[in-house]
Amino acid sequence: MSVPSYCQYAKSPKHIDRQGAALQTPLYNIKIVLLGLALLSGLSFSVQANNILVIHSYHNEHFWTGYLKQGLDNAFKDDADTRLFHEYMDAKRYPKSPFKLSFLDYLNTKYANTNLDVIVISDDPAFNLIREHREQFFNAVPIVYLGINRVSDEVINTPNMTGVFENRDIAGTIVSIKQQTGIDELILIVDQTSTGLANLAKAKMVIGQPEAPKKIHIIEELIEDNIPDTFSHFNSNIPVLLIGQLTSPRNNNALLSWNQGTEQLVTWTNNPVYTIAITTLEYGAVGADELDGRQHATRAAGLVKRILAGEALANIPPITTAKSQWIYNWEKLREHNYSLESLPSDARIINKEETFYEKYKLMVRIVASAFIASIFIIILLMEVIRRGSITRHLLAENESRYRDLAKAGANIFWETDPGQRFSYVSGDTQTLFGIPEQRLMGHTISELCRTNPNMNFPWLSYEKAIAYQQPLSNLVFKLKMPSKDIKIFLLNGKPIFDKNKTYLGYRGISKEITEEHLLTKKLAYQAAYDSLTGLINRSSFNEQLKSYVQQHQDPHLDAYLCFLDLDRFKLVNDTAGHLIGDAMLAEVATVISQCISKQDIIGRLGGDEFGLILVNKSLAEAQALCEDIIAQVKDYRFVWNQRMFNVGISIGMVPVTGSLNETELLSKADLSCYKAKEEGRGRVYIANLDNDDLFDEEQQMGYIANVAQAIEQQQFYLVKQVISSLDTGNNKQHYEILIRYRDDQGKTVPPSLFIPAAEKHSVITIIDQWVLETVFERYHQYFPDGDTVVSINLSGISLSNDEFVSSVINLVKNSSVNPKNICFEITETVAISQLSRALDFMREMKALGIKFALDDFGSGASSFTYLKSLPVDYLKIDGSLIVNIVSEPTDRAIVESINAIAHMMNMKTVAEFVENQAIQAVLEEIGVDYVQGYGIGKPKPCEPNL
């Protein structure tokens, strides 16, 4: 459109001479042509510019993100017509953050007026977000993904997108570690991010394979503060593979970087650490099975260029394989005594000390070639080597000097002779000595500073080291300046000797460390105190408790440890946010602190939990103080934005005695606080250390602390108890499946010690899931006849879990076990308390052929009304009505009525706790269908070798 306007301008009337001819000067024509070309060039540039939006899942400081960005930028750096816009979602540090949709709105708004040619998405979080909202997010723009962990047909066949899968071979990494270390055991650390879960899924593929370690311990979501406790259960020679990131409780449980996580593991454990990130080698990792992010991004950039060149997206298939390379740290290999022969053939080693040949390879070749060519050249080379040796000796001497001196940026470098007189000084001597360096020569430091009243110097340590020719290590001294400011200095030095071991004097440095010294004090405070409340933190509180337990053994000086936990505090966080919750928590800490005396010790243990040591108080005084705290916290009100919040507090209290250490005391106090909450909250529970209930509670919690690990280590196993028919014509076998647990010492723990705790702490569903999967998987192994009825107990918590119910349905439908041989047992209490859910579940299962038994009928307030509405096949009469049936007519009458009503409802009856032949005889007279108990048959392992 612009070209005609220029033509019109050239022919306008004011540029026509009186004869009607246009001006034809050469200069004028050149200007017109250049202006037209410039505009056309600008139009061409704007038309041909390619805009690429790159959406990264993680923050811009993440090393993997940095490599991807570097690879993409390098791929297009020579293409002036292509622009890359990088955006960062930060899902690694905040994987559960709710801002994802806001981030999507931000992108839609920011790039609404930008003509995007391709969208590049790195890693799963951002990719899944864009796929989920594809219709609202530039749905016509082609997508190239990279860093995607799982290769799936769903992703590959998605229209209008292609890309490069990360597809790490984690299983191969695990096998390589076993081959290298020779250890048939591995500790695997993962996180709950999508990448972590994908890596875990790949790792599990190798479990049970002959080339893999026999034992693989999986640690999920490892908190940095828990490293020492977690690794105290493992030998220090077991290798660790880090395929996920650690979390930090001091940063809202955000993920630590790979480097920080590796550094924490190396600091607190002696185990060899392996990762999948090369940068961790500088932080103590032995090796890293690295997938080069730059190469990965370059492959993705190649797909983008094909799209920009006009190639049809359907003709550009994804790249589904990725190759990693092992990279090792030479120093760590030597530290753990690993041989190079055990490493993969294509492995690369960093920080390796070069041999003489490797260092002087070219020189050796030149010497060899020269020897063959001419003796004369050999002589010349020998002279070169001789002179080079002298030069290297001088360089080595200077290098030794400056390696000793140039540590941490010294203010002064110095050397002395054997009489401690300065023989060499360089640096800022005016501040320290008040005179230039030339005037220091020939004087000792004692002569210069001994009489200075403004200097506080550790002369005793200095003179002792000099007398025995020992290193001067970190001697700190202070100097008052004319301005009255105090400056702090550090002196370091080492004795020097010649090759004959003759003492030559000292060489060292002096530097000002005022800021570092003050910073150290500040860090020491931060390490000991909670930044939110100003109270001592958990670590300091534990140390003080430990010290108090060790030093206060006088039985006449009563002391009590209290564990305080706020009630309803989660409601404040959920409704007003964590910032308001933190402000309220700080004020509650002040309320509690005002209730105690100066000699008492209070600390914040974490979250809304506090610890309190009450010193020199009787039981009555300690109880009264705790009740005062409860009252003060209850009366406290926190006002924010015209809203008023209040919380309560529950306290568990235990006496401090010499019989328990600080860890055991804190555990007892924690359990006591839990008891206080169980009894209604807002109260103090005073524990008796001989209380068996408290001990049982602690023991039960120990059994179910890590159910997943117990399952993995095969501590759970199944037994079967026969259910015998009293009908001699019924030969079909019937068993009830029961679960048992072996503790760490191999001792069998009865279900009564761990099932109640598992139900209370909501992990019973994991156990139910394992039992079901194991029975269905090994049914034909346990019961070779293939036609045995097995009864399996299900808890009420599992029945209320929709995901569990769905998995049971899939398990039944996909199993080769005949559903008619499966009977689910649920208790009468569960069935009645969750009647609607129980009915729905039972109807769906019975449609598949599953049978049901109502367990423990008669143990509580039994209701025949509910029984009439439940579609059960078997009614199990509670053992409490059976054990005394021979001698108690009332029990017999009750059993007779239950049996009669059950038969009227077409139900079979099963009597539990049948301990002898006399009981069985009575049950036969009554007409009970089945009997079960030790008198019929004791439980025996499902697997013969157990």
Side-chain angles (χ1 to χ4, degrees):
M1 297 294 295
S2 300
V3 176
S5 67
Y6 286 132
C7 296
Q8 292 166 8
Y9 178 81
K11 297 179 180 180
S12 60
K14 64 180 180 179
H15 294 283
I16 304 296
D17 62 11
R18 283 179 292 182
Q19 282 75 30
L23 295 175
Q24 299 295 325
T25 62
L27 180 60
Y28 181 81
N29 291 338
I30 291 173
K31 288 181 178 180
I32 293 300
V33 171
L34 290 176
L35 186 59
L37 290 175
L39 185 57
L40 287 173
S41 175
L43 288 172
S44 175
F45 176 79
S46 64
V47 170
Q48 295 177 359
N50 298 315
N51 296 321
I52 302 173
L53 172 59
V54 183
I55 305 174
H56 297 279
S57 288
Y58 311 133
H59 55 286
N60 57 347
E61 296 178 357
H62 190 267
F63 77 94
W64 172 253
T65 303
Y67 285 154
L68 295 181
K69 182 178 184 300
Q70 184 179 348
L72 290 170
D73 289 344
N74 287 341
F76 292 99
K77 67 179 180 179
D78 296 328
D79 192 348
D81 292 339
T82 299
R83 294 182 295 178
L84 274 69
F85 305 96
H86 292 274
E87 299 289 350
Y88 305 89
M89 191 169 110
D90 207 0
K92 179 67 73 173
R93 294 187 299 189
Y94 306 101
K96 300 180 181 179
S97 180
F99 64 77
K100 294 179 180 178
L101 293 180
S102 300
F103 176 71
L104 201 60
D105 291 340
Y106 155 75
L107 294 178
N108 272 317
T109 303
K110 182 174 181 179
Y111 295 98
N113 298 319
T114 303
N115 182 27
L116 298 177
D117 296 280
V118 178
I119 297 174
V120 177
I121 307 175
S122 74
D123 298 289
D124 294 272
F127 178 66
N128 293 333
L129 178 65
I130 298 303
R131 284 184 63 206
E132 184 178 351
H133 300 276
R134 188 71 172 105
E135 293 183 1
Q136 296 84 26
F137 187 79
F138 302 102
N139 59 357
V141 180
I143 287 178
V144 173
Y145 48 80
L146 65 158
I148 306 303
N149 288 282
R150 295 180 179 174
V151 179
S152 67
D153 292 336
E154 181 184 1
V155 175
I156 292 175
N157 297 327
T158 302
N160 208 26
M161 65 174 63
T162 186
V164 184
F165 288 90
E166 185 174 336
N167 197 17
R168 293 178 183 268
D169 184 12
I170 300 297
T173 303
I174 293 174
V175 172
S176 293
I177 293 174
K178 175 187 174 183
Q179 293 173 345
Q180 181 207 323
T181 63
I183 303 298
D184 211 11
E185 198 168 351
L186 179 70
I187 301 171
L188 199 65
I189 298 178
V190 301
D191 58 40
Q192 291 298 310
T193 64
S194 58
T195 302
L197 294 175
N199 288 340
L200 178 58
K202 296 173 184 175
K204 287 184 175 180
M205 296 171 60
V206 80
I207 295 178
Q209 299 299 319
E211 65 271 14
K214 289 183 179 178
K215 289 186 179 180
I216 298 180
H217 310 279
I218 300 175
I219 302 176
E220 300 184 26
E221 290 194 339
L222 178 61
I223 300 173
E224 60 174 325
D225 291 351
N226 296 344
I227 294 175
D229 290 341
T230 301
F231 277 81
S232 65
H233 306 293
F234 301 110
N235 291 331
S236 60
N237 68 330
I238 301 176
V240 179
L241 175 57
L242 192 64
I243 60 174
Q245 295 171 246
L246 278 62
T247 59
S248 171
R250 288 174 291 280
N251 192 19
N252 294 325
N253 288 327
L255 296 175
L256 294 175
S257 69
W258 287 90
N259 296 341
Q260 291 172 326
T262 302
E263 187 175 32
Q264 288 296 316
L265 286 172
V266 173
T267 300
W268 295 105
T269 73
N270 294 320
N271 300 69
V273 178
Y274 294 84
T275 74
I276 55 177
I278 186 175
T279 57
T280 59
L281 296 180
E282 297 299 325
Y283 292 84
V286 176
D289 196 7
E290 170 72 359
L291 175 62
D292 192 335
R294 288 162 294 200
Q295 179 186 5
H296 192 68
T298 301
R299 300 177 79 185
L303 302 180
V304 173
K305 290 183 178 182
R306 292 172 64 180
I307 294 173
L308 295 177
E311 189 172 346
L313 193 63
N315 297 331
I316 307 177
I319 301 173
T320 58
T321 58
K323 179 174 175 55
S324 57
Q325 182 184 20
W326 273 105
I327 304 169
Y328 294 93
N329 186 331
W330 169 258
E331 296 178 354
K332 288 295 178 178
L333 288 173
R334 290 197 307 172
E335 178 181 325
H336 293 283
N337 296 319
Y338 292 151
S339 66
L340 297 181
E341 289 75 13
S342 64
L343 306 183
S345 58
D346 62 343
R348 185 160 59 90
I349 302 176
I350 64 172
N351 299 332
K352 184 179 180 183
E353 296 179 353
E354 294 183 333
T355 64
F356 179 84
Y357 175 75
E358 290 172 333
K359 189 178 293 186
Y360 300 105
K361 184 184 299 183
L362 180 59
M363 183 177 292
V364 172
R365 290 178 178 176
I366 293 175
V367 171
S369 301
F371 178 78
I372 296 173
S374 172
I375 297 298
F376 177 76
I377 296 177
I378 292 176
I379 296 174
L380 291 178
L381 287 175
M382 290 177 63
E383 180 65 18
V384 170
I385 293 174
R386 187 185 70 81
R387 293 185 180 183
S389 177
I390 296 173
T391 302
R392 284 194 300 276
H393 177 73
L394 294 174
L395 289 174
E397 189 174 15
N398 287 331
E399 181 183 358
S400 175
R401 168 183 290 176
Y402 289 106
R403 185 186 299 115
D404 294 337
L405 299 179
K407 288 183 178 178
N411 299 110
I412 302 174
F413 298 156
W414 54 266
E415 289 183 7
T416 67
D417 60 17
Q420 312 315 319
R421 293 179 293 272
F422 285 116
S423 58
Y424 173 83
V425 179
S426 175
D428 179 17
T429 62
Q430 194 70 38
T431 301
L432 185 55
F433 297 104
I435 56 178
E437 57 190 53
Q438 295 83 359
R439 294 176 55 188
L440 297 175
M441 299 301 180
H443 294 281
T444 67
I445 190 172
S446 181
E447 293 171 349
L448 295 167
C449 302
R450 192 87 185 206
T451 59
N452 187 348
N454 294 321
M455 179 177 288
N456 182 1
F457 191 87
W459 292 109
L460 185 62
S461 298
Y462 171 78
E463 291 171 351
K464 181 180 178 181
I466 294 297
Y468 291 97
Q469 297 176 2
Q470 295 176 340
L472 300 169
S473 301
N474 298 324
L475 299 184
V476 177
F477 59 98
K478 300 178 181 179
L479 179 64
K480 180 187 285 186
M481 308 303 293
S483 62
K484 306 300 183 183
D485 292 335
I486 301 295
K487 291 195 173 184
I488 304 172
F489 294 86
L490 181 70
L491 181 71
N492 276 313
K494 60 176 290 187
I496 51 178
F497 303 87
D498 63 12
K499 62 182 179 180
N500 298 319
K501 306 298 181 181
T502 302
Y503 171 61
L504 301 178
Y506 271 79
R507 174 185 299 153
I509 65 166
S510 177
K511 66 174 182 176
E512 183 187 348
I513 60 166
T514 306
E515 291 186 4
E516 294 93 325
H517 187 77
L518 297 177
L519 178 60
T520 300
K521 286 188 173 181
K522 180 178 179 181
L523 292 175
Y525 175 85
Q526 292 175 343
Y529 287 85
D530 174 50
S531 60
L532 178 62
T533 62
L535 304 177
I536 59 175
N537 57 26
R538 187 184 191 101
S539 176
S540 298
F541 184 83
N542 288 344
E543 287 298 320
Q544 296 223 29
L545 177 60
K546 179 179 180 181
S547 176
Y548 188 83
V549 171
Q550 292 173 346
Q551 297 177 14
H552 295 73
Q553 302 294 327
D554 189 343
H556 301 293
L557 297 177
D558 291 335
Y560 294 89
L561 172 64
C562 302
F563 192 100
L564 297 77
D565 192 348
L566 297 185
D567 302 326
R568 305 185 306 277
F569 182 70
K570 184 177 183 297
L571 182 62
V572 179
N573 274 337
D574 292 344
T575 57
H578 288 280
L579 290 179
I580 303 305
D582 287 349
M584 184 178 186
L585 196 63
E587 292 191 13
V588 171
T590 302
V591 172
I592 298 173
S593 299
Q594 291 171 348
C595 297
I596 64 177
S597 61
K598 291 183 179 180
Q599 62 181 347
D600 299 327
I601 302 169
I602 184 172
R604 183 187 179 199
L605 304 183
D608 58 347
E609 299 172 344
F610 299 89
L612 177 61
I613 305 173
L614 300 179
V615 180
N616 296 339
K617 289 180 175 61
S618 66
L619 175 60
E621 290 171 335
Q623 183 176 359
L625 189 148
C626 288
E627 290 175 349
D628 183 43
I629 291 175
I630 292 171
Q632 294 296 329
V633 172
K634 181 180 180 182
D635 293 339
Y636 162 74
R637 298 292 184 272
F638 180 81
V639 179
W640 170 76
N641 198 19
Q642 299 181 345
R643 297 179 63 186
M644 185 176 294
F645 298 91
N646 71 309
V647 293
I649 193 167
S650 299
I651 303 176
M653 186 170 72
V654 296
V656 177
T657 68
S659 61
L660 298 178
N661 61 31
E662 70 283 356
T663 302
E664 294 167 333
L665 281 171
L666 201 56
S667 175
K668 297 289 187 186
D670 188 3
L671 288 172
S672 300
C673 184
Y674 183 82
K675 285 287 187 183
K677 288 184 177 290
E678 268 192 343
E679 294 183 0
R681 305 176 182 269
R683 64 192 64 213
V684 56
Y685 182 92
I686 305 172
N688 179 356
L689 296 183
D690 297 326
N691 188 330
D692 290 337
D693 291 340
L694 195 64
F695 175 78
D696 290 344
E697 182 78 25
E698 182 178 23
Q699 189 178 40
Q700 289 175 20
M701 289 180 67
Y703 291 143
I704 55 91
N706 195 337
V707 170
Q709 182 175 334
I711 290 174
E712 180 184 340
Q713 294 179 350
Q714 299 180 354
Q715 290 178 266
F716 288 112
Y717 65 96
L718 299 179
V719 297
K720 56 186 179 182
Q721 185 178 27
V722 66
I723 300 175
S724 179
S725 174
L726 294 179
D727 180 2
T728 56
N730 184 358
N731 296 322
K732 188 163 185 175
Q733 290 184 316
H734 193 155
Y735 287 91
E736 180 179 359
I737 300 296
L738 304 170
I739 189 169
R740 297 292 184 266
Y741 175 82
R742 279 188 297 258
D743 62 16
D744 294 337
Q745 286 73 42
K747 179 182 177 182
T748 299
V749 178
S752 60
L753 284 182
F754 65 86
I755 291 297
E759 290 181 334
K760 181 184 296 184
H761 298 283
S762 302
V763 297
I764 187 65
T765 300
I766 300 176
I767 297 176
D768 283 350
Q769 185 79 33
W770 177 80
V771 171
L772 282 172
E773 290 176 353
T774 303
V775 171
F776 275 88
E777 179 183 346
R778 303 180 184 177
Y779 175 86
H780 294 290
Q781 174 185 342
Y782 295 163
F783 309 103
D785 67 344
D787 195 29
T788 298
V789 177
V790 293
S791 294
I792 305 170
N793 292 278
L794 296 182
S795 72
I797 296 175
S798 297
L799 288 181
S800 63
N801 187 316
D802 293 337
E803 185 177 346
F804 173 82
V805 171
S806 298
S807 69
V808 174
I809 294 172
N810 291 333
L811 194 61
V812 173
K813 289 182 177 180
N814 297 324
S815 174
S816 61
V817 180
N818 188 343
K820 293 183 179 181
N821 287 330
I822 301 296
C823 176
F824 289 152
E825 290 192 13
I826 58 176
T827 64
E828 172 196 358
T829 305
V830 168
I832 294 175
S833 62
Q834 302 186 42
L835 184 60
S836 178
R837 279 185 173 272
L839 282 173
D840 290 342
F841 178 72
M842 294 171 73
R843 287 167 184 156
E844 193 160 6
M845 289 292 101
K846 288 187 73 66
L848 298 175
I850 299 292
K851 295 183 175 65
F852 278 89
L854 192 63
D855 198 8
D856 297 339
F857 191 82
S859 61
S862 304
S863 173
F864 289 108
T865 302
Y866 285 112
L867 183 61
K868 186 168 62 174
S869 63
L870 292 172
V872 296
D873 303 276
Y874 301 94
L875 189 66
K876 299 191 75 172
I877 305 172
D878 188 71
S880 62
L881 297 172
I882 303 298
V883 290
N884 299 316
I885 196 170
V886 176
S887 59
E888 292 289 340
T890 303
D891 288 351
R892 174 167 180 158
I894 294 174
V895 172
E896 286 177 342
S897 63
I898 293 174
N899 185 68
I901 293 173
H903 285 170
M904 290 178 63
M905 296 180 179
N906 295 320
M907 300 177 188
K908 298 291 185 180
T909 52
V910 182
E912 301 178 301
F913 287 21
V914 180
E915 305 297 326
N916 52 54
Q917 186 61 42
I919 294 176
Q920 181 176 339
V922 172
L923 295 172
E924 287 178 352
E925 292 177 9
I926 294 173
V928 171
D929 300 297
Y930 294 90
V931 287
Q932 179 182 5
Y934 276 26
I936 307 302
K938 294 183 179 180
K940 56 184 180 180
C942 290
E943 307 216 20
N945 58 341
L946 291 176

